[in-house]
Amino acid sequence: FEQFEQLYDLRMVLETTAAHRLCEDGLRRGGTVDRALLDELAAIWLVPAAQRSADTVQVSQWDEAFHCALVAAAGNMEMARVHRDVTDRIRIIRRLDFTKQARIDATYDEHAKILKAIQRKRGDQAAMLLRAHIETSQAEVRKITLHQVHLARVGAAR
């Protein structure tokens, strides 16, 4: 768990930094915001409830793509590379977060709020929303993982 906690910490730093950069008028140290990437995200996540996907595999893939695209859109390719590496390393446990419809609904709502804050150039709000979103997902994944370990132990003891 400690390694995953450290990877989630790194993910948090990268994504909240990217959110701030996406809201800056002129990016520091070169690089430009990729507005087309942000528009692609809006087309998936800023949709009426009736148009939302309930496919857990698809939503899981879209969720991962959402977070990677936010970092990539901020224009720092080294940050994006490191973020993709972190994403690859936590993928197996992140996908546990999409086993319940309530978590899928929450992901849509949370992603929509994050995108709207970025569109309004409210970096602090976008970073705060991202932090809460990641922490909630992390807690849910931890709970599911601990439950699975418990079930495995009970099954092995029989």
Side-chain angles (χ1 to χ4, degrees):
F1 275 119
E2 187 167 331
Q3 182 183 22
F4 286 122
E5 298 292 328
Q6 291 175 9
L7 289 169
Y8 266 91
D9 285 349
L10 179 55
R11 176 184 170 206
M12 190 91 65
V13 168
L14 293 168
E15 292 188 32
T16 56
T17 298
H20 281 288
R21 289 179 61 94
L22 288 168
C23 295
E24 294 173 358
D25 286 328
L27 289 178
R28 304 179 304 275
R29 298 177 293 282
T32 57
V33 170
D34 187 337
R35 295 284 166 208
L37 254 177
L38 294 176
D39 290 343
E40 288 174 25
L41 294 178
I44 293 171
W45 299 103
L46 296 178
V47 295
Q51 293 177 16
R52 294 177 175 182
S53 174
D55 180 328
T56 58
V57 173
Q58 182 177 56
V59 173
S60 174
Q61 291 168 347
W62 283 352
D63 175 69
E64 184 175 305
F66 172 86
H67 292 277
C68 288
L70 279 184
V71 177
N76 183 320
M77 291 306 106
E78 280 303 306
M79 275 178 54
R81 182 190 58 76
V82 170
H83 185 268
R84 279 190 310 274
D85 179 56
V86 169
T87 298
D88 289 344
R89 294 171 69 189
I90 63 174
R91 179 175 294 122
I92 193 161
I93 64 165
R94 278 187 67 197
R95 292 199 171 157
L96 295 173
D97 194 24
F98 298 98
T99 56
K100 297 178 183 156
Q101 186 61 44
R103 286 298 305 141
I104 291 173
D105 294 340
T107 297
Y108 267 98
D109 294 340
E110 292 164 10
H111 285 190
K113 288 177 185 173
I114 292 163
L115 283 171
K116 288 175 183 174
I118 290 169
Q119 288 172 341
R120 294 180 183 118
K121 296 198 178 290
R122 295 186 177 149
D124 289 341
Q125 181 184 23
M128 179 203 64
L129 290 166
L130 257 171
R131 178 176 299 283
H133 171 66
I134 293 168
E135 286 173 347
T136 300
S137 175
Q138 183 179 7
E140 189 68 22
V141 165
R142 186 183 308 116
K143 185 171 69 177
I144 292 168
T145 304
L146 287 171
H147 181 69
Q148 294 295 346
V149 168
H150 171 74
L151 291 177
R153 285 184 181 155
V154 168
R158 288 184 183 171

